[in-house]
Amino acid sequence: MRLPLQGGLPPVAGVAGAVVEIACDESGFSGTNLLDPATPVITHASVDLHVGEAVDLIATLRSGFRFSPNEFKSGQFLRNPKAGAALEWCLAALAGRAHVHLVDKEYFLVTRIVDLLLAEPSYAAGTRLTQDRRPAALALYRAGRSAGPDWRAFLAAFVELVRIKRRRRPDRRALDRFFHARDALAPGGVLDGLDRTRVWDFLTRLSDGDRSIPPPLEPMLPALAESVLFWSRGQRQVLVIHDEQSALTAGRLRRLQQVLADGAAVSPLAGLVMVDSRDDPRVQVADLLAGVARRLPGIIDDALLRPLLSPTSLRDPESDARSTPAPDATGRPPP
């Protein structure tokens, strides 16, 4: 028996005007465990295919392969020796019809520190709407990556600091550990702007349930926002069909909807409808694309995927933030 789907924000009334309907899924979601070395990135893929087009694409990819009749998963697909040619065809078929937003989880944490602790927190954090803060985040990320174990300790202290449940008081000891980890890094730079009183006030607002603050450890929200902004192109609304994702609650989506309106009368996010991926071939294509984007290095020429990647992906533009899992005995990556 299937349980009721969680999350979503279906349109209250009929959507009028120019509207595009996209189907989305993610790969690499690890909850609040953003420092898991096994999944260093999360990818959010979206396609604007019609159902019939998605059915035809999957049928073509299945030809000559033996896969599950319900879903088409990237892990099993990439293990097939014919995956290279099939992927080359698939990515070419999706040109102009797909979009992938990639989030380096470590870089995401850096943007959270900059956007939430050094500026006024908002649901725009981590999106192009806060692009003016990217230079500071990028400088911090690059400096931190060269700091060795102290950098990972600092990020872990931040995760511990903000992983608090609403209606529970912040932990002064976690605050002390966070600033101790900050002080262990080389002095100077962006982190000098951190202030104990300001950070404590932020934690208090978070624990008190201030809903103007986005969940600090949830990369799905800015990833979804970027997908919507891409497909909207400033001219049309976007109706999202999404595989079930409990992080995308109605309350969070409503606040994101308001932020993306950016003062306009109509938000580019028309609504978000949750579906079971087994029931929607468009979401299955998005799932396949998200998984391929996360696992692609070493499998097929990266140039095939690059045109589909969002230029506002949360990663260092001068380095490949993606990490290839260790290959198995056949030389192919694990699922």
Side-chain angles (χ1 to χ4, degrees):
M1 178 181 294
R2 297 189 190 182
L3 297 175
L5 295 173
Q6 301 183 61
L9 183 66
V12 176
V15 181
V19 180
V20 59
E21 184 171 302
I22 62 171
C24 305
D25 205 353
E26 52 76 23
S27 180
F29 181 75
S30 57
T32 60
N33 186 15
L34 297 175
L35 294 175
D36 180 4
T39 54
V41 302
I42 181 172
T43 50
H44 187 263
S46 50
V47 298
D48 73 339
L49 302 174
H50 299 299
V51 172
E53 292 175 312
V55 169
D56 290 343
L57 188 147
I58 291 174
T60 301
L61 287 175
R62 274 208 182 98
S63 300
F65 300 92
R66 293 184 178 180
F67 295 114
S68 164
N70 295 321
E71 286 192 282
F72 201 77
K73 291 292 187 179
S74 61
Q76 59 187 161
F77 178 79
L78 291 175
R79 285 180 169 176
N80 193 290
K82 298 179 181 178
L87 273 177
E88 194 168 341
W89 174 86
C90 178
L91 294 176
L94 289 174
R97 306 295 301 277
H99 177 260
V100 178
H101 188 74
L102 186 147
V103 177
D104 173 351
K105 294 178 183 178
E106 190 172 304
Y107 188 77
F108 167 74
L109 288 174
V110 173
T111 66
R112 276 327 207 207
I113 292 169
V114 171
D115 291 343
L116 302 183
L117 301 186
L118 293 171
E120 177 60 29
S122 78
Y123 268 73
T127 74
R128 69 186 67 177
L129 300 178
T130 55
Q131 199 67 16
D132 59 319
R133 302 173 196 162
R134 288 294 80 80
L138 186 58
L140 176 56
Y141 176 81
R142 290 176 174 172
R145 296 278 285 183
S146 62
D150 286 341
W151 173 244
R152 294 283 292 185
F154 170 70
L155 292 180
F158 171 71
V159 170
E160 179 192 15
L161 179 71
V162 299
R163 189 187 279 149
I164 56 177
K165 295 183 178 180
R166 294 187 186 275
R167 308 303 177 187
R168 292 190 181 180
R169 305 311 302 166
D171 186 347
R172 289 277 184 188
R173 294 170 297 178
L175 181 70
D176 292 339
R177 287 191 290 270
F178 173 68
F179 275 94
H180 178 76
R182 189 278 306 264
D183 295 340
L185 297 171
V190 176
L191 294 180
D192 281 356
L194 288 171
D195 177 78
R196 278 180 173 267
T197 301
R198 183 189 183 103
V199 173
W200 184 256
D201 288 343
F202 165 80
L203 296 174
T204 301
R205 290 173 59 190
L206 186 64
S207 66
D208 285 345
D210 186 336
R211 298 190 181 279
S212 67
I213 299 177
L217 303 177
E218 184 45 75
M220 280 295 296
L221 288 168
L224 173 64
E226 286 298 330
S227 297
V228 170
L229 290 171
F230 169 81
W231 289 107
S232 172
R233 296 174 184 145
Q235 300 174 341
R236 54 189 183 177
Q237 285 190 284
V238 180
L239 178 61
V240 179
I241 309 300
H242 207 292
D243 188 29
E244 183 177 20
Q245 174 54 255
S246 60
L248 301 177
T249 65
R252 291 172 178 177
L253 290 170
R254 195 172 293 112
R255 286 181 283 278
L256 184 63
Q257 190 177 51
Q258 294 169 352
V259 167
L260 294 181
D262 199 23
V266 179
S267 173
L269 176 57
L272 187 146
V273 178
M274 291 292 181
V275 299
D276 188 316
S277 62
R278 291 171 291 183
D279 300 329
D280 196 312
R282 299 169 301 172
V283 174
Q284 292 175 34
V285 173
D287 177 47
L288 174 64
L289 179 59
V292 166
R294 186 169 66 87
R295 295 176 168 98
L296 188 63
I299 302 300
I300 196 171
D301 184 4
D302 187 39
L304 292 172
L305 179 66
R306 193 174 296 118
L308 305 183
L309 285 178
S310 168
T312 58
S313 290
L314 285 183
R315 62 172 181 165
D316 185 342
E318 293 185 2
S319 67
D320 191 352
R322 289 167 291 174
S323 177
T324 307
D328 60 17
T330 67
R332 306 182 191 101

